[in-house]
Amino acid sequence: MMRIVFFGTPDFAVASLEALIQANFNVVAVVTAPDKPAGRGMQLQSSAVKQFAETQGLPVLQPLKLKDPAFVEELNLYKPDLQVIVAFRMLPEVIWSLPPLGTFNLHGSLLPNYRGAAPIHWAVINGETETGVSTFFLQQEIDTGDLLFQEKELISPTDTTGDVYERLMRKGAKLVVKTAQAIQANDFHPQPQDESSPMKAAPKLHRETGQLHWSKTGKEIGNLVRGMNPFPSAHTEFQGKNCKVICVEFHPEPIPSLGIGIWDTDQKTFLRVGCKDGYVKILEWQMEGKKKMKIEDFLRGYSFTF
């Protein structure tokens, strides 16, 4: 029976690992990130993949350095025929070239578009109406290997990154099983990625990525808010305090008094700000030091003037 070693860390990867087990694949070991301090008490916390793997009685490897000869030697002891990677860090060649059937990765986009660390976020931020998941064989350059399978997923105008993440997590798990089955049956046809057209990137998110600029169009602002929801959140400064902006609504009707970046409220039901082509109503946000609130609740408990 084909022996699989699974690499992954967050809950997105758990779905694929669980799907492989339910499909009766022989997962012989799991590789995940080392435990990290988290929470107010900074207690060591295991990754979602480790927590699930332990419930299945699977051996868990947590190397600090993937090139560590001791880790490479330990991995060899499991004699993997195939390695499956879902939401894990970049692998050195000494690891991905190890199994005879290769190493394949699940990526949350329709490659070659959105190569990088945050493909789901950037698809929503850029206002895409379609994305998907891809499986491909690993090679030296990140996210560039030959494609195995792809599945498309529509993005609605109201979808957040969290919404798309949940759907791609489930769709990706099915694609991982389909890919493993095809490799086991030797019924697959890898295809080079088509790089003939300009490609969109998905770089790591930084704090400045989520900064709202009211000089942009309402659609661009709305897409950024959706794309940064639920994490790490779009943000703006209001009355000298930083606010996470959770949900907004764009209105294209111009209001003469609402120039770009000008705020307005009735102190009861709405808080809005002018943008390039209309105005944006804040529907939900989280002010620095406060809990997340609907804007009506915020206005009832917060007194201010412009």
Side-chain angles (χ1 to χ4, degrees):
M1 179 180 280
M2 183 172 68
R3 298 170 62 84
I4 294 176
V5 172
F6 183 90
F7 291 67
T9 298
D11 57 349
F12 190 90
V14 172
S16 292
L17 176 57
E18 184 175 16
L20 284 169
I21 292 169
Q22 290 180 346
N24 295 316
F25 279 100
N26 182 28
V27 179
V28 296
V30 169
V31 183
T32 191
D35 295 353
K36 293 182 179 179
R40 290 185 178 180
M42 296 302 285
Q43 298 291 316
L44 282 179
Q45 185 170 328
S46 302
S47 73
V49 162
K50 179 181 177 180
Q51 293 175 41
F52 176 75
E54 288 180 337
T55 69
Q56 305 301 305
L58 295 172
V60 177
L61 287 63
Q62 296 178 274
L64 290 173
K65 296 182 179 179
L66 295 173
K67 290 183 179 180
D68 185 344
F71 168 63
V72 177
E73 183 179 352
E74 185 179 15
L75 188 59
N76 266 295
L77 292 176
Y78 289 98
K79 297 181 171 56
D81 299 305
L82 176 70
Q83 292 176 154
V84 179
I85 318 298
V86 182
F88 195 73
R89 59 191 191 269
M90 187 174 179
L91 297 184
E93 185 173 358
V94 67
I95 301 300
W96 60 256
S97 64
L98 192 154
L101 295 179
T103 298
F104 79 82
N105 186 84
L106 172 71
H107 189 74
S109 79
L110 297 175
L111 291 170
N113 271 321
Y114 295 110
R115 290 173 178 168
I120 303 174
H121 288 85
W122 283 106
V124 179
I125 290 169
N126 288 339
E128 301 287 0
T129 58
E130 182 181 80
T131 185
V133 282
S134 306
T135 52
F136 65 96
F137 278 128
L138 259 64
Q139 62 182 36
Q140 195 65 46
E141 298 298 321
I142 191 166
D143 297 338
T144 61
D146 289 351
L147 290 172
L148 292 162
F149 298 99
Q150 293 187 313
E151 293 283 348
K152 294 181 178 180
E153 177 67 30
L154 296 179
I155 303 176
S156 83
T158 58
D159 275 336
T160 65
T161 285
D163 297 327
V164 181
Y165 180 99
E166 290 292 329
R167 298 202 300 271
L168 290 187
M169 180 171 67
R170 296 190 294 270
K171 183 161 284 190
K174 293 179 181 178
L175 196 65
V176 163
V177 170
K178 176 180 178 179
T179 304
Q181 289 171 336
I183 291 173
Q184 183 169 248
N186 195 28
D187 182 19
F188 61 97
H189 307 280
Q191 299 293 322
Q193 295 185 33
D194 180 6
E195 300 181 0
S196 60
S197 301
M199 294 177 290
K200 298 173 183 177
K204 184 178 179 179
L205 300 172
H206 299 283
R207 175 170 172 74
E208 54 267 28
T209 311
Q211 176 68 51
L212 289 170
H213 297 283
W214 304 113
S215 58
K216 291 184 178 293
T217 66
K219 184 176 181 180
E220 289 172 321
I221 292 166
N223 287 345
L224 180 61
V225 171
R226 293 189 303 117
M228 300 294 278
N229 182 348
F231 180 82
S233 295
H235 58 91
T236 191
E237 188 175 284
F238 179 77
Q239 305 253 305
K241 294 185 178 181
N242 187 61
C243 299
K244 293 181 178 180
V245 180
I246 313 299
C247 184
V248 299
E249 183 179 84
F250 170 56
H251 291 258
E253 310 87 29
I255 297 178
S257 61
L258 275 187
I260 290 174
I262 302 298
W263 293 79
D264 179 38
T265 182
D266 64 354
Q267 299 280 356
K268 295 179 181 180
T269 61
F270 69 79
L271 179 64
R272 59 193 182 187
V273 57
C275 64
K276 182 177 181 179
D277 54 352
Y279 67 91
V280 172
K281 287 180 70 174
I282 310 294
L283 301 183
E284 187 176 1
W285 75 357
Q286 183 175 2
M287 181 169 272
E288 184 180 336
K290 304 291 183 180
K291 65 180 181 179
K292 186 165 63 175
M293 289 183 175
K294 299 289 186 183
I295 207 65
E296 297 90 341
D297 297 331
F298 166 76
L299 291 172
R300 276 196 293 269
Y302 190 88
S303 178
F304 59 91
T305 57
F306 292 114

